């Protein structure tokens, strides 16, 4: 992905994460248990953090020009889908087996940050 595409992806994810946070605070509060609301809030937190991470990767791509950064942005997005997405579904449905998917998203987050570090380490700047 180009830096521009990553920036768009980041902005769209930030928009969705803010909306998910508002939905949790105003809509879900009356519908789900406090435990499931906390699950939702965890999904929102990691969604926001890693959407900002994708934005940072886009900005770093302009500085370092590493294809590894583009890949890191995609892996970070996969982490959002797996981690936050599984938590959102768990909170909405109460289907606890979805919690087994969440660690895969966590691994994607860890891998993406390792890719960012490796890209910076390999850079000439």
């Amino acid at each position: 992905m180009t830096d521009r595409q990553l920036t768009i992806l980041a902005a769209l994810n930030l928009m969705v994460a803010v909306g998910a946070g508002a939905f949790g605070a105003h809509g879900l509060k009356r519908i789900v248990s406090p435990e499931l609301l906390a699950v939702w809030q965890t999904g929102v937190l990691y969604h926001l953090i890693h959407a900002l991470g994708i934005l940072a990767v886009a900005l770093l791509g302009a500085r370092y020009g590493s294809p590894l950064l583009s890949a890191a942005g995609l892996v970070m997005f996969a982490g959002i889908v797996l981690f936050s997405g599984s938590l959102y579904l768990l909170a909405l449905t109460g289907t606890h087996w979805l919690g087994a998917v969440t660690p895969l998203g966590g691994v994607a987050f860890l891998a993406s940050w390792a890719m960012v570090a490796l890209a910076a380490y390999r850079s000439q700047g």
Side-chain angles (χ1 to χ4, degrees), residues 66-112:
S66 170
L68 192 55
L69 287 170
S70 179
L74 289 174
V75 172
M76 205 171 286
F77 177 63
I80 290 171
V81 171
L82 293 170
F83 188 92
S84 295
S86 66
L87 292 180
Y88 294 152
L89 287 173
L90 172 61
L92 289 172
T93 67
T95 308
H96 288 281
W97 69 263
L98 288 165
V101 176
T102 310
L104 299 175
V107 170
F109 288 151
L110 292 169
S112 68

Side-chain angles (χ1 to χ4, degrees), residues 21-38:
F23 177 66
H26 301 290
L28 282 183
K29 191 185 232 181
R30 292 173 275 243
I31 299 170
V32 302
S33 69
E35 293 81 16
L36 289 178
L37 187 58

Side-chain angles (χ1 to χ4, degrees), residues 3 12-14 17 24 30 50 58 65 96 103 112 117 119 123:
D3 300 338
L12 292 174
N13 269 277
L14 285 162
R30 292 173 275 243
H50 290 88
H96 288 281
S112 68
S123 77

